[in-house]
Amino acid sequence: MFDVTPDDINQLNDSDLRELVGRLCEAELSNRGLSPAAVTWGGNQTAADGGLDVRVELPLGTSIEGFIPCSATGFQVKKPDMPRSEIISEMRPKDTIRPVIQELADEAGAYIIVSSTGSTADRPLRDRRNAMREALDDVTNAGQLHTDFYDRTRLATWVRLYPGLITWVKERVGRSFDGWRPYGAWSGAVENVGAEYLLDDKLRLHLGRGQNTPAQSVAQAIDELRDELIQPGKIVRLVGLSGVGKTRLAQALFDARIGARPLPPFLAVYTNLSDNPDPQPTSLASDLIANRMRAVLIIDNCPPDLHRRLTELCSGQNSTVSVLTVEYDVRDDQPEGTHIITLDTSSPELIEKLVQRRYPHLSQVNARTIADASGGNARIAIALAETVELTDTIAGLSNDELFRRLFWQRHTPNNALLLAAQVCSLVYSFQGEAMQGEEAELPRLAMLAGQNTMETYRHVTELHRRDLVQQRGIWRAVLPHAIANWLAARALEETPYDLINQQLIAGGTERLARSFSRRLSFLHEHHKAIAIVKGWLAPDGLLGDVTALNDLGQAMFENVAPVLPEATLAALDVKQRAKVTRFPG
């Protein structure tokens, strides 16, 4: 299933073939705990190279074997086949041995010709090896020079050792695995993989089971995270608000410029579930483990049920795979207990630096305004920056005006779309596909917007196109939260609470009621949200009798507690007094 064939190698062009050999050498050294800096390659494929395209120069006496047989090994990489006459001509232009080959012989090194077209069945391979030795007849120290010939089949065998390079080859020849990518610019096409990862001491990670664990700076914590993932069978879940840079952090784990112990890029195999990968992650993981291939799988936008299945499949002593799942779950249930890493929002200074790098035409004042309005969320900052023209200025605009810009994104204002977005933001997430039945949620949201269900469905689809709604299977959520909270506040202003209660609480589903209460937890400064929670926590309110709450009531109580801490404490005090009365002494 997850494989590279000799035909794939044959499809590589000259420059990609040479790059592949260079990457393979780097991977081979990294896999043996040696520095890939000993590998040199690059430049124009047609430029004069002195007879070597890739060179490995390890310290004298370094022990190595296999595809890199000596500490000093040179590779001459050729796209065409190399029969006897071509080999001798390559090694002895004008009937004189190339100086680099003499140097390798003097160092007791190795000289290897790589051809992506040649076929080395037993007899042709012997002929090519004999031709290489024939070319060394008058070379000093020829007896201590190791020579070999790698054809497309042997090269494919080498590539199979490194799943990240399998993905790389497939991508280069236009036969990539659907949705699967090697190490690269996973977080977006705007910046290439060489772009600097921006971080400061204020960018924080929680290494543990959530935000209750102490926060560390990313610069301090990144190597701890790498130490976990370098071990086969380890499963890590990276969570955080939408837009805070989780995918960019996952990419940085393989960046040698950050920290001291980067993960080897050749181990990385990445997919985003939104790209509908084929094979599916569990099938790919099973194949890698069955073939004893070491890899680090990065599964972006990974829902909890898939995370659980990957955990069951990939954890344990016999696994060859470690897994990093990345998600901001749009449903209300939380992932099961596992090693969870939480990424906080960025500082305004870091966001300003990012905006200025991506949009150099922005003035410093505009960049600072965007950073302040973003709430530390890179996705919001970038979306806002996209709305600013070269001669435009947004300094002095209110937050409401800025969020209007963010919502419309240069599109023509559409009141029906805004209404749909507002009511969908009243809940933390919603079921976005069912159109009828007791569990259908879209019809209830459509009723709040004064729309028919199909109309609201189309609006949700348009919001998804604009990256204002995220999708996980049947679930939808308006994200990032900063814009969802702005929309929800507008909905509370414009929608009678009796109608909200009818569709989401008393006449809705338990899931919608819990989801609405969770949205209220983000609106602790909004007067309508405060009024709703105050009514709920009153002695005769929905959540007033804490001792009588069922599981749903307890979950809603916990969600809204931060909105009115004093009323929450008063309700809990009543509960405590009830316990004392019931169980005196």
Side-chain angles (χ1 to χ4, degrees):
M1 180 190 301
F2 193 73
D3 195 13
V4 66
T5 67
D7 286 341
D8 293 324
I9 301 298
N10 188 40
Q11 293 296 316
L12 292 169
N13 61 36
D14 287 333
S15 58
D16 285 343
L17 182 64
R18 181 175 53 169
E19 184 174 348
L20 174 62
V21 175
R23 286 174 176 266
L24 281 167
C25 290
E26 291 177 343
E28 192 79 14
L29 296 189
S30 295
N31 199 38
R32 296 171 180 270
L34 302 171
S35 172
V39 183
T40 55
W41 56 281
N44 192 303
Q45 175 69 14
T46 60
D49 52 29
L52 295 182
D53 290 305
V54 180
R55 185 162 191 160
V56 178
E57 196 69 43
L58 292 164
L60 188 65
T62 303
S63 177
I64 194 167
E65 59 183 0
F67 286 100
I68 302 177
C70 301
S71 58
T73 298
F75 294 86
Q76 181 63 29
V77 183
K78 295 292 184 181
K79 170 72 176 171
D81 193 5
M82 296 288 287
R84 175 186 175 279
S85 60
E86 294 295 332
I87 288 173
I88 293 176
S89 177
E90 172 60 37
M91 295 177 66
R92 302 181 64 92
K94 299 181 180 180
D95 200 32
T96 302
I97 197 70
R98 287 186 183 274
V100 290
I101 298 177
Q102 181 64 68
E103 291 172 10
L104 288 170
D106 294 340
E107 294 175 332
Y111 175 75
I112 297 170
I113 293 178
V114 179
S115 168
S116 63
T117 304
S119 173
T120 52
D122 184 57
R123 179 62 179 272
L125 174 60
R126 286 204 310 269
D127 290 344
R128 286 161 174 76
R129 285 173 170 169
N130 289 339
M132 295 178 74
R133 299 312 303 181
E134 182 182 338
L136 299 174
D137 277 348
D138 60 351
V139 173
T140 307
N141 295 322
Q144 63 184 22
L145 177 66
H146 178 93
T147 56
D148 208 343
F149 186 94
Y150 294 172
D151 75 335
R152 57 187 178 182
T153 301
R154 296 184 74 188
L155 208 55
T157 300
W158 195 2
V159 172
R160 290 189 192 107
L161 298 176
Y162 305 106
L165 292 181
I166 294 177
T167 312
W168 184 88
V169 169
K170 288 287 191 178
E171 192 176 74
R172 288 303 173 102
V173 300
R175 298 200 293 193
S176 59
F177 302 101
D178 289 345
W180 292 99
R181 297 161 59 188
Y183 173 64
W186 302 328
S187 57
V190 176
E191 295 183 333
N192 62 38
V193 71
E196 178 190 3
Y197 179 55
L198 298 178
L199 73 166
D200 58 18
D201 289 339
K202 297 177 182 178
L203 186 60
R204 317 292 283 179
L205 274 178
H206 301 262
L207 299 179
R209 297 188 177 276
Q211 295 213 4
N212 292 330
T213 58
Q216 304 177 52
S217 73
V218 170
Q220 294 173 330
I222 195 167
D223 281 330
E224 292 185 46
L225 181 51
R226 289 162 164 169
D227 291 343
E228 186 81 5
L229 287 169
I230 197 62
Q231 305 174 64
K234 294 294 185 178
I235 315 293
V236 175
R237 188 156 177 79
L238 175 61
V239 300
L241 293 176
S242 174
V244 297
K246 300 183 296 298
T247 303
R248 187 63 183 86
L249 173 60
Q251 182 182 319
L253 294 174
F254 300 85
D255 191 335
R257 297 170 297 178
I258 305 163
R261 299 184 294 279
L263 294 173
F266 61 81
L267 292 181
V269 183
Y270 169 91
T271 191
N272 187 323
L273 260 290
S274 299
D275 294 333
N276 299 313
D278 183 21
Q280 286 293 302
T282 50
S283 298
L284 178 59
S286 297
D287 193 55
L288 290 170
I289 293 171
N291 288 285
R292 311 306 302 160
M293 299 170 73
R294 177 75 182 100
V296 178
L297 293 185
I298 301 94
I299 315 297
D300 213 339
N301 289 323
C302 179
D305 58 339
L306 176 58
H307 175 85
R308 282 189 287 269
R309 282 183 281 135
L310 287 168
T311 299
E312 294 169 359
L313 179 65
C314 299
S315 59
Q317 294 182 346
N318 295 324
S319 176
T320 59
V321 173
S322 49
V323 179
L324 173 67
T325 65
V326 183
E327 169 68 337
Y328 181 72
D329 187 23
V330 302
R331 295 185 298 173
D332 291 314
D333 56 333
Q334 294 297 310
E336 82 295 341
T338 188
H339 193 172
I340 298 175
I341 310 299
T342 306
L343 179 62
D344 287 345
T345 54
S346 302
S347 66
E349 294 80 9
L350 195 61
I351 295 295
E352 182 180 357
K353 190 175 179 181
L354 171 66
V355 168
Q356 287 183 316
R357 186 173 77 181
R358 289 202 182 185
Y359 304 92
H361 69 275
L362 290 178
S363 68
Q364 186 173 0
V365 173
N366 279 343
R368 167 55 64 171
T369 301
I370 289 170
D372 290 341
S374 72
N377 190 295
R379 182 175 295 166
I380 289 177
I382 290 168
L384 273 174
E386 287 282 353
T387 71
V388 182
E389 302 287 355
L390 182 62
T391 58
D392 203 358
T393 180
I394 59 173
L397 294 182
S398 68
N399 280 345
D400 188 66
E401 290 170 318
L402 287 171
F403 276 102
R404 284 180 181 276
R405 273 180 172 251
L406 179 60
F407 181 79
W408 294 121
Q409 300 176 0
R410 299 184 182 178
H411 294 278
T412 302
N414 179 332
N415 191 57
L417 182 69
L418 179 60
L419 285 173
Q422 288 177 184
V423 299
C424 290
S425 297
L426 281 174
V427 290
Y428 186 78
S429 65
F430 57 96
Q431 212 274 29
E433 296 187 359
M435 307 293 281
Q436 56 186 356
E438 292 185 3
E439 298 304 314
E441 298 178 358
L442 267 180
R444 300 180 185 280
L445 296 172
M447 183 73 69
L448 289 175
Q451 300 171 352
N452 64 55
T453 305
M454 195 62 212
E455 186 181 4
T456 301
Y457 178 87
R458 291 194 183 101
H459 290 319
V460 170
T461 302
E462 176 59 27
L463 291 168
H464 181 256
R465 290 193 194 101
R466 299 186 188 187
D467 289 329
L468 293 173
V469 162
Q470 290 194 21
Q471 174 180 337
R472 305 291 184 271
I474 63 173
W475 303 101
R476 310 287 187 273
V478 179
L479 290 170
H481 273 304
I483 193 167
N485 295 337
W486 174 73
L487 289 164
R490 290 176 60 90
L492 288 180
E493 294 281 355
E494 299 174 7
T495 311
Y497 175 71
D498 284 349
L499 186 58
I500 293 174
N501 183 59
Q502 178 185 336
Q503 296 299 328
L504 303 183
I505 312 299
T509 66
E510 289 191 357
R511 209 208 68 82
L512 278 176
R514 183 172 65 251
S515 195
F516 175 62
S517 70
R518 195 167 181 187
R519 173 60 64 206
L520 291 177
S521 69
F522 291 89
L523 303 175
H524 51 84
E525 294 183 350
H526 192 272
H527 67 99
K528 284 288 185 71
I530 293 171
I532 291 171
V533 174
K534 185 176 182 179
W536 283 3
L537 294 178
D540 58 347
L542 180 67
L543 306 176
D545 187 356
V546 182
T547 61
L549 294 180
N550 56 16
D551 289 344
L552 171 64
Q554 291 177 8
M556 293 176 66
F557 184 88
E558 292 174 5
N559 283 339
V560 301
V563 178
L564 276 178
E566 292 183 2
T568 299
L569 291 173
L572 290 173
D573 186 53
V574 170
K575 178 180 178 181
Q576 184 63 33
R577 289 200 303 270
K579 284 184 177 180
V580 172
T581 302
R582 200 172 300 167
F583 303 106

